[in-house]
Amino acid sequence: MAQCNNEENEEALCFFRVKNAGCRNNDAAKHCDAFDSVVREEPQNVRAGKLQKKKYGGLFVQQFPIPVGLSAATPNNGSIELSKILLIANLPRIRTRSYYKDSNEPSQPISGKEPKYVNAEQCFDQLKSGNVVFIQGAAATPADLVTAMTKVGKDKKLKDIVLCHIHTEGKAPYSAKEYEGIFRSHSFFVSGNVRKSVAEGRADAMSIFLHEIPYLFYRKIYKPDISIVHVSPPDSHGYCSLGTSVDITRAAICNSKVIVAQVNQKMPRTFGDGIIHISHIDFAYKKDEPLPVHGGKGGLSDTEVKIGKLIAENLVKNGATLQMGIGNIPDAVLSQLGNHKDLGIHTEMFSDGVVALAKKGCITNRLKRTHRGRIVTGFVMGTQNLYDFVHDNPFIEFLSMDYVNNTRVIAAQPLMTAINSAIEVDLTGQVVADSIGTRMYSGFGGQVDFIRGSAEADDGKGVPIIALPSITKKGVSKINVTLKPGAGVVTSRAHVHYVITEHGIANLFGKTMRQRAYELIKISDPKHREALDKAAFELLKCKPSP
């Protein structure tokens, strides 16, 4: 019965092919998957004359009611052409939505669609209470749009808007106390502009591996109503670039209902996963301005130079693939690698320290097993010199974090050398990197991803490194018998291999707790060694020894 008036089985579904002849009712489930697009409906909805859209088999389809009296016009074989169904039902012809027209793949153009160019506040006319909003981060933080969104939320007296993001630059007006109840920040990596609000309970922090953050969007744990991004102007084919921060942004925009973008001539155009066709942007705000800069002020301290030399001269080999974070210690290491050859870069981010080495020819990436001849990163943060270097430069690929930080991808790189910093290390090797006591300071980031990936290196020659000064600026030891109360462990004692301070290198792999304590006390500040040795004896009930 082509009209699907099935009284015996109320649960049966009706399927009709949108083009040409429809499926037979009794074998629809067997054959319809092969069709370009399919309409289906439950019998009770057909009889009720409901008209609605559903998603079936990955395709968006237009449904239509089938009049009960249709059976009289149905051929004996149980199939009927769509045009006849529409004629008998006296319905307008329905243009089915094509897969490509409605794809969320940002590189696929949407025919006939263009963004609305408006001012910053008009970009958020559709902002509602209870919305989830994603904000692109690091150097690509769209500060004007964030400020405009904050104002609109307050002016419209909205409430319970969730803002999700990693590290963002500039002010975070939504984190001010006056916006409590309107906005609540969910930080996947805490930055300085939201630390106070997190500490005071007005914002939230999440502990999560960097490579898993995209899964929050793909698995619909976070479903952005709006994504706010910062892009380069479209090229001759209509493609913009996410510029300096692809990281988790691609996953967010692929799963966002609305995309709002600042279009900026000064945003570098980068290669890799960061392309987005202009037709995917719903509201655009034009403003040309320099990106925020980080670093470039002052030189390296003697302590940082010593750490850099120890790592460069002892642990980085010719042909090594490097991962490093942001800060003076990674830059100190890079500054000592001028005589190395055939280095590769596979890292979640990099800063200015890479530029000089690349221009000198020390970084060739020619020995890498994947992306040979290319630097791979998720985002960059640094000075204008860095942004000029990555602009329109095919030597660098900006890829999504679920790939860059995947431990299996990391493990495939030759001589994978991961250089990460820490806030505190205890005598068993536990590493604190995201908190100072109970106070959240940053996040997991990519530390564990790369420490584990390098340890599991396919060639068995990975070098996982934790590097830190032995004391704080106030002279407090960073190597302690036990961690501060409430401090969170980012890298476990089982993950740790090398720990380095300005006083030496401790290799903890394969060491007992007694041996670990001995190695770590050796690289602690000399002023604290005696106290650490005594406290270790109390803890272990034996003297630390090699």
Side-chain angles (χ1 to χ4, degrees), residues 163-239:
L163 307 177
C164 56
H165 53 84
I166 50 174
H167 168 97
T168 59
E169 284 292 307
K171 296 179 180 179
Y174 50 80
S175 67
K177 196 166 186 178
E178 64 182 291
Y179 295 102
E180 185 174 5
I182 303 174
F183 298 101
R184 190 169 184 92
S185 165
H186 288 200
S187 293
F188 306 141
F189 188 97
V190 177
S191 50
N193 54 13
V194 294
R195 282 182 194 136
K196 183 179 180 181
S197 58
V198 170
E200 294 177 354
R202 292 180 285 105
D204 297 308
M206 180 183 293
S207 292
I208 185 170
F209 301 125
L210 189 52
H211 82 271
E212 290 190 326
I213 297 177
Y215 302 159
L216 298 176
F217 303 110
Y218 291 127
R219 295 175 183 175
K220 311 301 181 183
I221 296 170
Y222 282 80
K223 297 181 281 188
D225 296 286
I226 302 171
S227 283
I228 310 173
V229 298
H230 195 164
V231 302
S232 67
D235 63 14
S236 59
H237 299 286
Y239 287 99

Side-chain angles (χ1 to χ4, degrees), residues 235-361:
D235 63 14
S236 59
H237 299 286
Y239 287 99
C240 303
S241 169
L242 293 172
T244 56
S245 290
V246 174
D247 44 59
I248 68 169
T249 303
R250 190 181 194 281
I253 63 174
C254 284
N255 292 278
S256 184
K257 295 177 183 176
V258 173
I259 298 175
V260 172
Q262 176 180 344
V263 181
N264 183 358
Q265 288 276 2
K266 296 187 178 181
M267 171 59 76
R269 176 176 295 278
T270 58
F271 289 76
D273 288 338
I275 59 171
I276 175 172
H277 195 268
I278 191 69
S279 58
H280 282 267
I281 296 172
D282 299 287
F283 297 92
Y285 163 67
K286 285 186 177 181
K287 185 177 181 181
D288 299 332
E289 61 180 347
L291 301 187
V293 297
H294 192 287
K297 298 178 182 178
L300 300 171
S301 69
D302 290 341
T303 295
E304 292 158 349
V305 171
K306 288 178 181 178
I307 294 172
K309 283 186 177 180
L310 281 170
I311 295 173
E313 294 174 0
N314 295 280
L315 297 177
V316 179
K317 308 298 182 185
N318 287 332
T321 305
L322 303 178
Q323 172 262 340
M324 72 296 293
I326 194 169
N328 285 354
I329 288 179
D331 282 347
V333 176
L334 293 168
S335 70
Q336 301 295 322
L337 297 176
N339 293 321
H340 279 64
K341 300 176 181 178
D342 289 326
L343 296 174
I345 304 291
H346 184 101
T347 181
E348 77 267 28
M349 67 86 56
F350 68 86
S351 192
D352 287 72
V354 166
V355 178
L357 283 179
K359 290 183 176 180
K360 190 176 179 180

Side-chain angles (χ1 to χ4, degrees), residues 427 477 479-481 521 524 528-536:
L427 288 185
S477 180
I479 296 177
N480 297 302
V481 179
I521 291 171
S524 67
H528 295 278
R529 289 177 187 172
E530 184 177 351
L532 286 170
D533 195 62
K534 289 179 180 179

